[in-house]
Amino acid sequence: MNKFKPLGFIFLIIILFCFCINIGLTNQINRINLFSTSIDIRNFEITNTSLDMAPWYNPILNGHYIIEQPTADFLLIKTTDTQFVAADSSKLIIMTLASPINFLLLCILIFGSGLYLRRERRKRHYKNQIAELNLQANSLLTAFNLQVKPAENPLGVSSLSQSINSLNTHVANYVKQTQTSICQDKLTLLIDRHAYIEHIDRQINHANQEELKCALLFIDLDGFKQVNDSFGHSFGDEILVQVASRLANVLRHHKLSNINSANQLEQNLSRLGGDEFSIFIELLDDSDRVVEIAKHVLSELEKDFVLGNKIVKISASIGIAAYPESASTPQALLQLADVAMYRAKSDGKGIFKVYSPEMGNKMRRYHYLLEELRLAVACKDFYLSFQPIVHVEDCMIDYFEALTRWDHPVEGMIPPSEFIPIAEESNLILELGDWIMLESCRQMAAWHNAGMRKVKISVNVSGIQLKHRDIYDWVMKKLKKTGLPATSLMLEITESTFIKASPRIIKELSRLREEGITIAIDDFGTGFSSLSTLADLPIDVIKIDRSFIAQANKSQKYNDILNTISELGQKLGLKIVAEGVEEIGQFELVKKMGVSSVQGYLVSRPESSVNVGNKVLRNNTSNLSASGTSAWDIFSS
């Protein structure tokens, strides 16, 4: 319908113009001078002339009479009694059109028609563009799965306006969600480490200008890894979500919240990664306040975590660093709070520590030894010493414990108590443990072939090795490679490691026992395991921790505990070994209690393989060949 609108307008303009010409023509006829004119005027006899009215469809000549002649048509001008006075119609029309008024009118009509047509063409072009934009907008709405209320004209401006408004709303929400997603931890919905550091940087700059103090809490969950290992990662994820919720409650309680206006996320609480969280205190007007907040965090995280029908207990270790006392940058503040957190873990877990320069020295020492340890493990810059364990009755050698020593080219002797924990934390114990097991078996195989057939070599195995090594295959390959009989090897595993051992590990250790390998529980009494569980563990030997031996002659309680362990071991058919025997009185006490073997400086300090060979092999060849072992001369040690 709209397509015919311009044509109708043009037709109407033509009709109007024709009627204007008609009026002009009438006026022109009325003004004709019959005696002086350039128009052909003729007289026609009435009796011989046919006079016709102009047809209705001719708007120019409408209302005029026409006298048709072969050469031309004439318009009636005047009638007399006997004649019709008529003028040439063509010339009259041309004269009328040529008049200034009609010419101006014609120009106006042509110009107006052109403007109208141009306007209509532009409107049609705009409508086509709007229709195209509507189609594109509808495609976007469909792609984004958006619904809008149908408009009266689906291709009109109102429909396009609705679509654009819907798309604008969607884009605004998408931008907000994207900004939120970029800086948000997907599990806990807290801000991530990157956004947290940016926030701290802004706050520190403000604090620097206003001369304010700030503080940061670095929170690490204790025992979270065991939760994951025992119940699965989905269970652990739910723990992390609950931890985030409890920490958010702490922020609200102490009025520490700072909500970002753009993404509506809390900026003073972050999950840094894994089981690590952090709280930033923007204004620290009282040093006791940060302690109060840390205690509140510990209290919240010590409460039971209930998931389904399971109740889990965990705790947290917290490190605290303050601005500007401890550090002046976000990264340094986090790092030093991390250092303080590790001190809290090493000092017993479930506590908080405020950073001090002494902690930084310890951390630098840690990283220095870690790098040196990597080089030493790669170059195998270690050697083994062997400490004998002897029977209390006759001092005959029961076994040797292989002990690793590290003689650093600059530091000198670095004790195992310092480098073994670093090796375990960095998993370097895996490569180091491979070397220790191989060298221990190799040395014992040499001694076994030399006559020490009833002497065992004892090798310490860490929880890291049990977790990452297939312990059965690992040990059996070392025995096969060195030719050492399985009955000549003993594995020492700490009580705390046994407590956390999975069923798979227990099964592997049981298979090793079936091969003839002896399993000992080391540092017994320090892991808080139930004595009743001893019957279910695949062990042959209990090594009583040196702390009990040191206190047994001084405290009746320690004496009673030591006596109970000895009696229980005897009833279960387990060999009891007392560690850390350094005095004659201690030796006599454990002997009276029925302890079968002793180890300690009273018997011997760790010896090199050469010294062991000189003491046992060179001087006791005949005794070795008969008994497969030899007495250890205590007083010559």
Side-chain angles (χ1 to χ4, degrees), residues 106-334:
L106 178 62
C107 291
I108 291 174
L109 289 176
I110 292 172
F111 181 73
S113 298
L115 288 177
Y116 175 79
L117 292 174
R118 184 179 178 186
R119 178 186 170 192
E120 287 298 315
R121 190 163 51 248
R122 188 176 296 170
K123 283 175 64 177
R124 187 164 58 249
H125 177 69
Y126 286 159
K127 288 180 69 174
N128 291 337
Q129 283 187 323
I130 290 173
E132 180 64 26
L133 289 174
N134 268 298
L135 293 176
Q136 294 179 9
N138 290 334
S139 297
L140 288 174
L141 291 173
T142 303
F144 290 127
N145 197 23
L146 298 177
Q147 299 291 334
V148 295
K149 183 179 178 181
E152 294 181 4
N153 183 4
L155 298 178
V157 175
S158 60
S159 176
L160 181 61
S161 177
Q162 287 183 0
S163 300
I164 290 175
N165 288 336
S166 297
L167 289 170
N168 281 336
T169 303
H170 177 74
V171 169
N173 292 334
Y174 178 78
V175 169
K176 181 179 178 181
Q177 292 172 3
T178 302
Q179 290 177 345
T180 301
S181 178
I182 289 173
C183 61
Q184 188 178 41
D185 174 59
K186 302 302 182 293
L187 176 63
T188 62
L189 304 183
L190 302 178
I191 62 172
D192 61 14
R193 186 187 193 97
H194 179 72
Y196 185 59
I197 289 177
E198 287 184 348
H199 169 67
I200 296 174
D201 189 39
R202 292 191 296 269
Q203 295 303 119
I204 285 180
N205 289 334
H206 174 72
N208 183 43
Q209 295 172 2
E210 302 294 331
E211 297 184 355
L212 303 175
K213 293 184 178 181
C214 308
L216 184 144
L217 277 64
F218 195 109
I219 305 162
D220 187 90
L221 304 182
D222 301 324
F224 179 74
K225 185 175 180 297
Q226 285 71 31
V227 172
N228 267 340
D229 292 342
S230 301
F231 302 106
H233 287 280
S234 60
F235 197 94
D237 288 346
E238 181 58 33
I239 292 286
L240 294 176
V241 171
Q242 292 191 25
V243 168
S245 177
R246 295 186 187 187
L247 293 179
N249 290 335
V250 172
L251 255 67
R252 287 189 288 270
H253 177 81
H254 293 277
K255 296 180 173 58
L256 300 175
S257 291
N258 184 330
I259 305 298
N260 186 298
S261 58
N263 54 37
Q264 298 300 306
L265 293 179
E266 173 60 61
Q267 300 182 101
N268 284 337
L269 174 61
S270 170
R271 181 190 177 201
L272 302 177
D275 59 345
E276 297 175 342
F277 296 82
S278 182
I279 292 176
F280 184 69
I281 304 172
E282 297 175 2
L283 178 60
L284 189 64
D285 48 6
D286 184 2
S287 58
D288 292 336
R289 186 167 181 239
V290 68
V291 173
E292 179 186 351
I293 294 169
K295 289 181 178 178
H296 191 178
V297 170
L298 292 177
S299 174
E300 285 293 317
L301 298 184
E302 285 172 357
K303 295 177 182 178
D304 293 347
F305 288 87
V306 180
L307 289 92
N309 60 350
K310 295 183 176 64
I311 297 178
V312 177
K313 286 184 175 290
I314 61 174
S315 61
S317 298
I318 301 177
I320 302 172
Y323 170 86
E325 290 88 348
S326 301
S328 58
T329 65
Q331 291 82 358
L333 206 60
L334 270 173

Side-chain angles (χ1 to χ4, degrees), residues 1 45 51 90 102 125 183 197 221 261 480-481 585:
M1 189 70 179
E45 295 292 333
L51 189 66
S90 299
N102 287 330
H125 177 69
C183 61
I197 289 177
L221 304 182
S261 58
K480 183 178 180 181
K481 187 172 184 178

Side-chain angles (χ1 to χ4, degrees), residues 386-533:
F386 304 90
Q387 188 173 27
I389 290 82
V390 301
H391 293 285
V392 294
E393 298 296 337
D394 52 11
C395 291
M396 297 295 287
I397 301 170
D398 189 4
Y399 63 92
F400 288 99
E401 181 177 358
L403 301 171
T404 311
R405 297 293 181 259
W406 182 18
D407 189 3
H408 191 273
V410 177
E411 298 282 333
M413 294 299 298
I414 299 177
S417 59
E418 188 173 13
F419 74 81
I420 290 296
I422 298 175
E424 290 182 331
E425 290 177 14
S426 61
N427 282 349
L428 288 172
I429 193 66
L430 297 175
E431 189 174 349
L432 178 59
D434 290 344
W435 178 84
I436 293 172
M437 179 63 73
L438 184 63
E439 290 301 310
S440 299
C441 292
R442 194 192 308 277
Q443 181 61 67
M444 191 63 235
W447 287 340
H448 182 273
N449 294 333
M452 284 195 276
R453 296 180 303 278
K454 292 187 178 180
V455 178
K456 302 178 187 294
I457 189 72
S458 176
V459 181
N460 291 280
V461 179
S462 75
I464 303 298
Q465 291 171 284
L466 291 176
K467 180 180 178 181
H468 292 278
R469 295 281 189 251
D470 187 335
I471 194 67
Y472 177 84
D473 291 338
W474 180 64
V475 171
M476 297 306 294
K477 285 179 181 178
K478 295 294 187 292
L479 294 178
K480 183 178 180 181
K481 187 172 184 178
T482 58
L484 180 68
T487 53
S488 296
L489 177 64
M490 182 166 77
L491 303 180
E492 292 192 22
I493 301 168
T494 62
E495 182 185 13
S496 58
T497 301
F498 256 120
I499 294 173
K500 296 180 289 186
S502 65
R504 179 190 67 81
I505 293 174
I506 298 298
K507 182 178 179 181
E508 293 286 296
L509 293 175
S510 298
R511 290 181 64 193
L512 290 174
R513 283 187 73 210
E514 293 172 0
E515 297 288 345
I517 295 172
T518 303
I519 307 295
I521 183 168
D522 195 15
D523 299 334
F524 186 79
T526 61
F528 306 105
S529 64
S530 171
L531 294 178
S532 62
T533 61

